Structure formats: structure tokens, C-alpha cells
Amino acid sequence: MNRKFTRREFGIMAGAAGVAASSLGAPAIAQGKPRLVVIGGGPGGATIARYVAKDSKGAIDVTLIEANAVHTTCFFSNLYLGGFRTFDSITHGYNKLASDYGITVMKGFAIGVDAAKRTVSLAGGEKVSYDKLVVAPGIDFMFDAYEGYSEAVTSTITHAWKAGPQTQVLKRQLEAMDDGGVFVIAPPPNPFRCPPGPYERISMVAHYFKQHKPKSKIICVDAKDKFSKQGLFQEGWDTHYDGMVEWLPLKITGGVKAVDVKGMALHTGGDTIKGDVINVIPPQKAGNIALAAGLANESGWCPIDPFTMASTRVAHVYVIGDSSIAAQMPKSGFSANSQAKSCAMAIRHALTGSKAFDPRYGNTCWSLISPDNAVKVGASYKATAEKIAKTDGFISKTGEDEALRATTAGEAFGWYDGITADIFG
Amino acid sequence: MSSRRIRTVTVILAGLCAAGLLSPPAMADELYDLGEYLSGDCTACHQLQGESKGIPSITGWHVESFVTVMQAYRQGERNDTLMQMVAKRFSDEDFQALAVFFSKQ
Ligand SMILES: Cc1cc2nc3c(=O)[nH]c(=O)nc-3n(C[C@H](O)[C@H](O)[C@H](O)COP(=O)(O)OP(=O)(O)OC[C@H]3O[C@@H](n4cnc5c(N)ncnc54)[C@H](O)[C@@H]3O)c2cc1C
């Protein structure tokens, strides 16, 4: 069942610039081990690389292709904006995946997949062969969604929806803003990465303003009429940040139509909303490489087999994390990590005949309202023939006492340490 | 191997262990392997290194107390909506497997 490497492929690979000795160790090929290649070292990709390498105990050769040397997690990036989490503390390297699990970590940008030859091509011209491929690139943005909006605009009007330099720019802008200024945030339509994320961001910016710029205001121009954990957030804004946050649903404004960088304003159906700092979180789709590889359908996201996360469109390819259509599972780091583990088991079974267990899917998302007040929502899911379906769930309640909310915040901090250890080793 | 077959094996094994009759290494391995796979449902929160800040440590427990606590969550006798939801995903045999796996971390 395992595909043998031909001399020709080996030649191509070993000859590729910068890929030679370290990344394509001759021993693996000499032993004819099956090879898993993973595109993307986020919560989905890094978790699956680690679990396949760990649980196959060296029987599968694992290569992780990641564009950046380090990964800054989107989760807790709002806390960095809130001023109580450092950028370093949410940034993780890949050293342990290489040293402790024997994963070949290649820094490179994947630009194409040849499904017939089973190779991934990188921007530098290299080609990497696979027996099975996991595509976990997260999201990309629809930069043509609004008039006047483009990727170039994001140096002034940030998205900060892929954590990293964008998040740092937004933080600096908030710090530079005068007291009494206006922060405008425009969350995207569904489906998008982290449904409660924009509203946690509002809470964290409000926390920062309350401490440093109490006369400032936050205006949210939403593309929706309702949002995740709405009652909990609105209660939290009332009790913690009285009068600071104004949320405008779609039915009031008609949503963002145009972005004016020079005038620092958003144009909606009828109004012009000016801001001193503006954060537009644009509509989203699967990561570009997933689209280039033909993994997405007309929705812009990638359909999968609910039992294995295998692409329903391209053989030997799996899609996990935000890029996948995991039906009722939200696009979260927790979901990506959960999908990765079931998919790892399915891939090991396919490559080495290891035991196949039932897939298992779960999610829990905490959101911080203030540093010591958090709410959470969670659910269990199971694979059915049509989709990954929700079977059970819970959510925090309005009116909970401060002590419970503080315990919940403590859990969120514990979870961050736990999940990042589970992802990056 | 189908997961139904694994379940059957686990049930038998759990029964035998409970009766204190035997624990053949191969079957014990199988239980451990099941526990290791199921533990993926836990390690997003509970750390294998036993860290307990914010989320309690669940490594190195006695197998019986571990199973009892999980059953208490599943039956709603222990109050935590999150862990109650997690526990409802599993059978007693799964708890046994998880208990064995985490006891050895
Ligand atoms: C503000 C905010 C707060 C959030 N809070 C939470 C939270 O509290 N809890 C939670 O569970 N989730 C949260 N999320 C959601 C979570 O961050 C995402 O769902 C998660 O990151 C998805 O993981 P992924 O692996 O699919 O994609 P990503 O995290 O985007 O990882 C993809 C990786 O692939 C790399 N890559 C992409 N394309 C290529 C290519 N062509 N070649 C090579 N490498 C490539 C990228 O560099 C990146 O490292 C939050 C998100 C945001 C924006």
C-alpha cells in the first residue's frame, strides 16, 4: 500500500536547493518508510505532525512545511492587545517538534500540489514527495469584499486576524491613540475563524481603554445581527465597561460597503463611521494553498469525510483546521487540535495498518471579558455520514458570580499552557 | 481491527481485571493503547507533565479513584458542566483505559 520512492523523485528532492541533507534524511528513504507531509504549522498542522511522529514511533517519516520560523497563536492575541500578555508568551518555535519527535521542519511556502505525482511545490522551486498529505493552512482573506479595501490597506487598517506583525501594528495604534478617541471594529459575516473572537477583542480593548484612556469609545459595525455568546458579552460590557461599547447590528447599518483609508472611515449603507483606529476583519475562505490544490468547493472551504478528515475532492490529501468544512465545529484552535488527533489516527491506520478507532471531536472556547472574568462554551461532536454533528454542549450563564468567572479565567490560562504543549511539544 | 472488536476486548479485560483474575501483557497493552488514543480528548487541557495551574493534574492517580471521579462527572454528582460534558462521551471501559493510561504518566 505504501508508495515506493523512485530514484528519480529522490534525485529531485535531494537536489533541491536548501532541502538537501537535513530535511530529507537519506535513512528514511533508504528504509522505505511511508512519508507524511503536512502544510502549515498552526494548531492543526503542528498537532498532527507531532501525533503521527509520536504514535508511529518512527515508522512514518513526517515533514512539516511552514512559512514562518515561529508561530504566534491567534488565541490569547486579544489578551496581548489588552495589555496583560506579552507577544513572546504567545509565540512558539518548532525546535521540539524537530528534536524530540524527529519531524523534519522545512521553512518554506507551499504554492501547489500535484495530486497525480504526489508532490508539493514550494515557492523556492523545491518539490517534496508524499504518500499522504495534510493541508492545514488556516484562512485567507477576501480582500475584494469592500470598495477601497485591499491587502495594501492592512498596514493602516489592520485585520490582525492572523496573529503576528498585524497584531503588533494594531497594539501600537491603540497605544498611540489619544484618550477620547474612537476604535472602530468591523467583524466579518459567517463563517469565519473564531466566532467569539471579535467580541473578546472588544472586551480586551475596552479593558485597556478603561485603564489608560477611559474617555475613549468602541464602535462595532457588525456584518451580522447576532453573534456568539452575545448575551454574555453584552452583559460583560455593561457591567465592566459601562457605556464604552456600541454594537451596531447589520440591520441598523447595512454593513460595511466601502473602506476609506485616507479619511479613516467606513462607509455603510447610509452612514460614514469615522475612527481613530480601525480594525476590519474581512470575510474569509480556506487558505490559498487549499484553493490552489483544488481542495475547496464553491463555498471557498474544503469538504472532508467526517470520519477521517480526508478530502472528498483529492485522493491521499486530508484537510484539518480552519480550512475544512467541519460543519457544526467552530473554526477554533481547539477544534483544529481535536481534528488533528482523529486524522492522525486515520493516517497511521492507512500508512502502517495501526489500529483504527472511532474519530472523536470536541471543542471548548474561553473568552476573556476582563483579566479575571471569563466565559466559556463547549460541545461534543460525532462523525455521521453527512457531517460532523453536534451531540452535546454547554455555555456559561449570565449572572454568574465573580468567583466562578475568576475560576473560569484561571482555566483559560491553564488551557493555553496545555494546548500549546499539545501542539508544539 | 474494528472499534467494536476493541470495545469487546476491553470489556472482557476490564471484567477480568476487576475480578483480579489476570492481566495478560498483550491485553494490558491494548487497554493502554485505547487509553492513549482517548487521552487526546483530555490533553488539550490536562498536561501529561502533570502541571496543575488553572486545570488540575490527572496523572499518576490510582486507577479506581480515577474511574470513580469520571463516573461522578458523568452522573452529574460532581459539579462541573465542562467535565460533565467530557465524561458523557465515554463508557466505563473507556474510563478504565483512560485511568490506566494516565496512571502511568
Ligand atoms: C483574535 C483571535 C482569537 C482566537 N481565540 C481562540 C481561542 O480562544 N480558542 C481557540 O480555540 N481558538 C481561537 N482562535 C481561533 C484559532 O486561532 C484558529 O482557529 C486556529 O489558529 C486554526 O488553526 P489552523 O491550524 O487551521 O490554522 P492557522 O493557525 O492559521 O495555522 C496555519 C499555519 O500554516 C502556515 N501556512 C499557511 N499557508 C501556508 C503555505 N502555503 N505554506 C506553508 N505554510 C503555510 C501559516 O504560517 C500558519 O502557521 C482565535 C482566533 C483569533 C483571530
Side-chain angles (χ1 to χ4, degrees), chain A residues 56-256:
Chain A
S56 73
K57 303 186 170 67
I60 297 174
D61 183 39
V62 182
T63 298
L64 176 63
I65 301 171
E66 164 57 48
N68 299 308
V70 292
H71 181 91
T72 302
T73 59
C74 284
F75 36 100
F76 276 28
S77 67
N78 286 330
L79 283 61
Y80 161 71
L81 295 175
F84 56 99
R85 190 84 193 197
T86 65
F87 195 74
D88 275 358
S89 77
I90 59 168
T91 301
H92 305 266
Y94 297 100
N95 299 351
K96 279 196 186 158
L97 292 185
S99 65
D100 296 6
Y101 300 93
I103 295 165
T104 301
V105 181
M106 286 176 78
K107 189 165 175 295
F109 193 75
I111 53 167
V113 175
D114 184 331
K117 294 206 179 89
R118 288 203 229 170
T119 55
V120 176
S121 26
L122 305 190
E126 307 95 318
K127 285 201 187 333
V128 185
S129 293
Y130 62 84
D131 292 301
K132 299 287 179 192
L133 173 68
V134 173
V135 178
I139 54 159
D140 269 297
F141 301 112
M142 297 187 187
F143 286 115
D144 58 357
Y146 309 120
E147 199 189 313
Y149 188 63
S150 66
E151 187 162 12
V153 164
T154 62
S155 55
T156 313
I157 295 185
T158 59
H159 56 75
W161 219 243
K162 291 184 184 185
Q166 275 277 305
T167 327
Q168 291 174 303
V169 172
L170 177 55
K171 178 117 171 22
R172 279 196 296 271
Q173 292 175 337
L174 292 166
E175 283 167 356
M177 194 187 89
D178 289 335
D179 189 8
V182 177
F183 171 57
V184 176
I185 178 169
N190 293 321
F192 67 102
R193 157 177 289 179
C194 195
Y199 314 97
E200 183 189 58
R201 176 165 292 174
I202 289 170
S203 310
M204 293 293 91
V205 172
H207 167 72
Y208 167 74
F209 283 171
K210 187 177 173 180
Q211 296 206 306
H212 302 283
K213 300 164 187 186
K215 296 198 289 265
S216 308
K217 291 266 180 276
I218 301 175
I219 300 176
C220 177
V221 188
D222 214 323
K224 304 176 290 301
D225 282 327
K226 54 183 191 198
F227 60 87
S228 169
K229 304 182 194 168
Q230 183 165 350
L232 295 164
F233 278 116
Q234 290 183 322
E235 177 196 56
W237 298 338
D238 284 348
T239 49
H240 292 261
Y241 312 112
D242 188 25
M244 190 182 274
V245 181
E246 188 181 359
W247 175 71
L248 302 172
L250 177 70
K251 61 174 180 254
I252 291 188
T253 67
V256 175

Side-chain angles (χ1 to χ4, degrees), chain A residues 35-46:
Chain A
R35 167 179 269 230
L36 171 68
V37 173
V38 180
I39 301 176

Side-chain angles (χ1 to χ4, degrees), chain A residues 51 341 357-358 360 380 419, chain B residues 3 37 40 43-44 53 89-90:
Chain A
Y51 270 74
K341 293 173 199 176
F357 298 102
D358 290 338
R360 319 190 50 84
S380 303
I419 197 161
Chain B
S3 55
Y37 173 62
T43 49
K53 216 171 72 207
R89 297 175 192 160
F90 300 97

